[in-house]
Amino acid sequence: MTNAKKLSGAEIFFESLKKEKVEYIFGYPGGANIKIYDKLNEITFLEHILTRHEQGATHAAEGYARVTGKVGVVLVTSGPGATNTVTGIADAYMDSIPIVVFTGQVPSNMIGNDAFQEADIVGITRPITKHNFLVRDVKDLASTIKKAFYIAATGRPGPVLVDLPKDVIAAECEFNYPEKVEIRGYKPTFKGHKNQIKKAAKIIRKAKRPLLYVGGGVIMAEASKELTKFALKNHIPVTNTLLGLGSFPGTDPQFLGMLGMHGTYYANQAVNNCDVLIAVGARFDDRVTGKTDTFASKAYKIHIDIDPTAIDKNVLVDLPIVGDAKQIMADLSEELFDKPREEKWWDQIKEWQEACPLEYKRPDDLLRTQFVLEKISEKTNGEAIIVSDVGQHQMWIAQYYKFNNPRSHVSSGGLGTMGFSVPAAVGAAFGVKDRPVVSINGDGGFQMNMQELITAAYHKLPIKFFIMNNSFLGMVRQWQELFHEEKYSFTDLSESNPDFVKVGAALGVESFSTNKPEEVDAVLDKVFAINDRPVLVEFKVAKEDLVFPMVPSGASISDMIHKRINPKGKKS
Ligand SMILES: Cc1ncc(C[n+]2csc(CCOP(=O)(O)OP(=O)(O)O)c2C)c(N)n1
């Protein structure tokens, strides 16, 4: 028997986080986690960021994880504290973002008794976590935390929840942090199958019209360099998913922009007509494929992904390669390089680009989101971190901001969570300090988590908060106009929106407003020169603008719409 010193569950919690080199916790205290907060007061190796809502904490952890590649950490109390994290957890799950969420829980002997602030958060989050744990014994605490971080960050990353009953946190035992984790049934494949890689190389070598369809998995795997090298050396055009933006330089002539519902005409035409489609770290999501049986129907499909369950899930492929994208792209580059391409494929792509470029009305008396975004892209040289909310502005960001680096576009892709941007930008600003962080919101989504302006103001985070105020829930209004006989049911916010400049100021953030295209340059120059505190700008933009091109939901990519179907009475 040893006489090693015993630590409390709360102490073990922090010793474990120290081992995991955690820099920040985003959290909110309450009764069930009060002992952890008690200890937190003495902790100096990490910083706790008190958000104003647990959903905010969870998106902040995601923002931090998305820009750094490290695991984001959340700490909340039981019951409502825990349930408030659900949207953020689901968001992280859909986009494969590594976060660990620690929830307080009622004492073990009261679980199942409808105790005060009891919620079965393990049950609630089972379908939206990569894994979750209820710690029943303080002796399991350190090894559970080790497992949680390991599962969150390895293979296809994702959220892990650890539920901590109050008595487990109070109990004591010796602290032993495991060096390694062995989890039966969880052994992510890292190296792609050699023969499959050779076969893929052979097929790509013969391809006449190849296309790389690249998703967020490439960014997660830190494989952007290898992917870019492979694409450039083999002269293959690249199209990105929403989450893949930044994995290949947005200014490179080989880049075709985003594909899918609001993708470019030429990217979608390339998908329709390619003979070999190389999907890397992408999951054939329905916003990308539209009708699956017509998606890339002429192509031999190669799918490179770390997650074997993503293979053949939505679209059947001809050649799967399961493993780490960084390793596989490097191996593929060894097999294949400097393949000259027939000019015909590039000539065809050029023709599509000239026939249907991205466009909007300019010059114009009305201020347009697209115009503001182009200006932001120019002024930041594609080097900023753009944290988008959800809606029309999100699609315009994907179309008009030229992302030149991975981990620069932070966006809620799979879940499409309005209210994501403000808190995610807070987390991103803690993660990256040497590049501007820009939070771009619609007037609707901004109101869903605007309380986190307070967090940004308190910590003097130099975030630029932009509101593209079109006085509508724009994206829903767009669907109402195009597909629901112009019945604008509950999407007009013009009578009920608050005064955003006053809201910003009240929450501690210097705020401006403009509706004039000619003022945009000066406003942006002014706010990008402010580096010691957050600022907010409301851009009063055209009210009834629509995002084009658009592939209607469930239609084939070839059914793309390019302009208003029914322009009656529309001013913009
Ligand atoms: C939490 C949540 N509720 C509802 C929706 C459905 N939805 C998708 S886009 C959108 C409109 C967004 O409006 P706004 O924030 O003003 O941005 P805009 O589309 O005008 O750019 C809505 C309501 C959602 N995505 N998320």
Side-chain angles (χ1 to χ4, degrees), residues 39-339:
K39 194 77 217 154
L40 180 54
N41 227 13
E42 302 158 20
I43 298 292
T44 52
F45 73 89
L46 57 69
E47 194 179 345
H48 173 267
I49 311 303
L50 179 71
T51 56
R52 284 329 196 244
H53 191 297
E54 291 88 350
Q55 183 185 354
T58 319
H59 292 318
E62 279 193 86
Y64 172 82
R66 286 174 193 250
V67 297
T68 61
K70 299 176 190 168
V71 177
V73 180
V74 178
L75 172 64
V76 297
T77 191
S78 66
T83 55
N84 273 349
T85 65
V86 166
T87 302
I89 293 173
D91 196 87
Y93 186 66
M94 292 289 275
D95 288 352
S96 311
I97 305 303
I99 58 170
V100 175
V101 178
F102 293 100
T103 47
Q105 184 53 281
V106 301
S108 308
N109 65 344
M110 295 175 77
I111 291 177
N113 284 10
D114 293 342
F116 177 64
Q117 295 197 324
E118 181 188 359
D120 173 11
I121 198 65
V122 167
I124 290 169
T125 60
R126 187 158 291 130
I128 52 163
T129 46
K130 188 171 169 189
H131 199 68
N132 64 17
F133 299 92
L134 168 65
V135 184
R136 292 171 185 277
D137 188 325
V138 69
K139 290 198 197 83
D140 299 330
L141 181 56
S143 63
T144 305
I145 294 177
K146 175 83 187 176
K147 281 183 200 160
F149 276 84
Y150 176 71
I151 294 171
T154 51
R156 179 176 178 169
V160 177
L161 182 136
V162 183
D163 205 16
L164 302 169
K166 214 171 165 177
D167 53 312
V168 171
I169 288 308
E172 293 187 343
C173 76
E174 286 173 22
F175 174 65
N176 286 310
Y177 206 65
E179 288 284 308
K180 276 176 79 177
V181 207
E182 277 293 319
I183 303 170
R184 206 150 46 103
Y186 181 70
K187 303 264 178 300
T189 308
F190 191 75
K191 247 187 129 29
H193 196 286
K194 240 181 159 173
N195 290 347
Q196 303 281 86
I197 293 173
K198 276 198 188 318
K199 191 169 171 193
K202 209 166 135 190
I203 285 157
I204 297 167
R205 192 173 293 123
K206 282 203 198 129
K208 294 206 177 328
R209 301 182 311 279
L211 177 68
L212 275 155
Y213 146 47
V214 177
V218 166
I219 293 176
M220 295 289 151
E222 307 289 352
S224 304
K225 236 168 80 189
E226 289 75 8
L227 179 278
T228 302
K229 184 175 153 196
F230 176 79
L232 294 179
K233 278 202 149 192
N234 290 288
H235 209 212
I236 301 177
V238 179
T239 178
N240 272 155
T241 67
L242 183 72
L243 293 190
L245 292 169
S247 60
F248 186 81
T251 44
D252 192 283
Q254 275 182 230
F255 185 56
L256 306 186
M258 185 170 73
L259 80 167
M261 183 176 275
H262 290 293
T264 61
Y265 171 71
Y266 32 99
N268 284 330
Q269 283 293 70
V271 172
N272 263 352
N273 290 285
C274 64
D275 63 350
V276 174
L277 182 77
I278 313 153
V280 195
R283 61 187 175 88
F284 295 86
D285 145 75
D286 56 272
R287 283 292 190 264
V288 161
T289 61
K291 201 168 161 201
T292 46
D293 38 346
T294 54
F295 179 74
S297 54
K298 299 174 192 160
Y300 183 93
K301 300 180 190 72
I302 300 170
H303 189 188
I304 298 167
D305 207 288
I306 189 99
D307 180 4
T309 71
I311 306 291
D312 285 347
K313 188 171 188 167
N314 298 325
V315 168
L316 293 180
V317 297
D318 301 288
L319 179 62
I321 311 177
V322 173
D324 175 62
K326 188 179 178 76
Q327 182 72 47
I328 294 172
M329 292 321 292
D331 290 350
L332 256 181
S333 288
E334 296 254 303
E335 292 283 335
L336 243 183
F337 51 88
D338 293 338
K339 162 95 169 85

